[in-house]
Amino acid sequence: MKKVINESNRVVEEMIEGFLAAYGRYYRKVPGVKGIVRQEKQDKVAVVIGGGSGHEPMFLGFAGEGLADGVAIGNVFAAPTPDTVYEVAKAADSGKGVLFVYGNYAGDVLNFDMGAELAENEGIATKTVLVTDDVASAPPERRGERRGIAGDVLVIKIAGAAAANGLDLEEVTRLAKKANDNTRSIGVALTPGSIPDTGTPTFTLPEDEIEFGMGIHGEPGVKRTKLMKADELTDHMLQAVLEDLPFQAGDEVCVLINGLGSTTLMELLIVHRRVSHVLADRGITVYDSDVNSFCTTQEMGGFSITLMKLDEELKKYYNYPAYSPFYAKQRLGE
């Protein structure tokens, strides 16, 4: 596939250079590693996120006001190194501890754990919350084994708001876990993405077929079917999400429709139209929605649907304003 790159082995470095050239007013590079932190260190619990590149704007674009304080960046579809995690944590910490938030993938877990151990050895208190929102990746009784996909957005939003409100590390961790416990997602793939180093597709799929539950790196889903109309497809996906928590009449939810790279905003809005109709029919109130491409896989075709069930506590922190160049939320509610 055609790509706008220079040297294939420098795509991540050049991406970071371009990000800082555009937004250096707000961020600075962590010396010696592929990481960024906010320009001014904040006197609060630091939220550090991260993962492999190739999913932009996740994770690079989710540091900012009311969001994360630092981002540990890996190579394309590869976990950040332990040194990167450690150096970013050290650069972000103000003495009140660091909460790591990232998707549940083996490489990320291993390297973040090692980075956390290095930070602890330096006297930095750390906690970790793994995002496990993908209902297709394991059954409910093994929910802790699930992958993290677009639900990262909502968990980071709550964690960042809790930290910005001055809560201590235990409380920020508790709220981030609560956000994850109340968040469910499922995705569908229509066409593959590609790996910039090689230009090769991440998987193959017949032209008239789609795959339910495929992961954001091309991990296997739960079934392949023929392509169907948007409403029918949305109904199938939403059913899997609604049954899992389960979500019930009277619930209040946030909705996130996330494009995987090449699916257009027009298509995503058509999906949201159907989601809003189905939820209304079930007596579930939509408190707020986002429709955009936040957690992508290069130019993969497809999208995911995420719901987060709210209570008054989660709503308080969801309402807190947030800003980064790629995600913004005005203050909502009182």
Side-chain angles (χ1 to χ4, degrees):
M1 295 184 183
K2 297 174 182 175
K3 287 284 188 182
V4 183
I5 62 173
N6 294 306
E7 300 300 322
S8 61
N9 62 352
R10 280 191 44 79
V11 293
V12 175
E13 288 86 348
E14 292 185 357
M15 174 188 72
I16 295 171
E17 288 175 20
F19 178 83
L20 292 172
Y23 306 114
R25 175 179 297 182
Y26 310 112
Y27 308 98
R28 60 184 170 88
K29 188 172 185 300
V30 179
V33 298
K34 295 170 186 167
I36 63 144
V37 291
R38 295 173 66 184
Q39 190 63 258
E40 302 296 331
K41 186 177 289 191
Q42 310 295 308
D43 183 24
K44 65 178 187 61
V45 170
V47 177
V48 171
I49 61 176
S53 299
H55 306 296
E56 289 69 37
M58 186 64 63
F59 288 90
L60 182 64
F62 280 85
E65 181 67 35
L67 296 167
D69 299 283
V71 186
I73 303 163
N75 288 326
V76 176
F77 302 154
T81 66
D83 281 351
T84 299
V85 173
Y86 162 63
E87 292 293 345
V88 172
K90 190 167 65 171
D93 178 51
S94 68
K96 296 186 175 177
V98 175
L99 172 63
F100 296 112
V101 178
Y102 54 93
N104 185 28
Y105 297 91
D108 291 290
V109 172
L110 177 65
N111 288 359
F112 268 89
D113 280 353
M114 292 173 68
E117 186 175 340
L118 292 171
E120 294 275 355
N121 289 342
E122 290 283 326
I124 300 171
T126 71
K127 295 283 186 181
T128 294
V129 173
L130 299 177
V131 181
T132 57
D133 58 311
D134 183 5
V135 304
S137 55
E141 61 272 20
R142 292 176 18 227
R143 196 167 65 82
E145 300 174 19
R146 288 176 171 173
R147 303 179 292 240
I149 52 175
D152 279 302
V153 173
L154 298 173
V155 179
I156 292 168
K157 172 76 183 71
I158 296 299
N165 276 271
L167 302 188
D168 65 20
L169 183 57
E170 292 290 335
E171 276 294 279
V172 175
T173 304
R174 181 184 67 79
L175 280 157
K177 285 182 177 176
K178 183 175 181 178
N180 181 59
D181 289 343
N182 284 277
T183 300
R184 300 288 189 276
S185 302
I186 192 168
V188 63
L190 278 67
T191 57
S194 68
I195 301 170
D197 287 8
T198 62
T200 55
T202 49
F203 58 88
T204 59
L205 194 62
E207 186 63 28
D208 62 341
E209 290 188 2
I210 60 176
E211 183 154 338
F212 278 87
M214 177 167 275
I216 57 174
H217 306 96
E219 298 94 337
V222 291
K223 63 180 178 181
R224 287 189 174 188
T225 70
K226 297 295 184 185
L227 181 62
M228 56 191 78
K229 290 188 176 182
D231 284 0
E232 184 181 5
L233 176 57
T234 302
D235 288 352
H236 281 288
M237 296 171 69
L238 199 50
Q239 184 67 22
V241 170
L242 290 169
E243 287 179 348
D244 196 86
L245 191 59
F247 295 85
Q248 300 173 333
D251 286 345
E252 199 169 19
V253 300
C254 295
V255 177
L256 176 65
I257 309 299
N258 174 68
L260 295 174
S262 70
T263 300
T264 66
L265 184 57
M266 179 179 73
E267 295 166 277
L268 300 179
L269 289 168
I270 289 170
V271 170
H272 185 265
R273 161 193 162 276
R274 182 64 174 181
V275 168
S276 64
H277 291 170
V278 172
L279 294 180
D281 288 346
R282 288 175 174 254
I284 298 171
T285 301
V286 176
Y287 181 71
D288 192 42
S289 294
D290 273 308
V291 183
N292 211 328
S293 295
F294 293 119
C295 184
T296 64
T297 307
Q298 296 298 289
E299 62 281 343
M300 183 188 285
F303 63 95
S304 56
I305 297 172
T306 299
L307 300 182
M308 180 171 73
K309 181 178 175 179
L310 294 172
D311 62 9
E312 290 305 311
E313 185 179 45
L314 286 176
K315 191 187 293 186
K316 171 185 174 182
Y317 294 102
Y318 184 84
N319 286 344
Y320 191 77
Y323 173 78
S324 81
F326 302 100
Y327 179 85
K329 186 70 67 179
Q330 290 186 322
R331 184 178 293 278
L332 299 172
E334 296 298 324

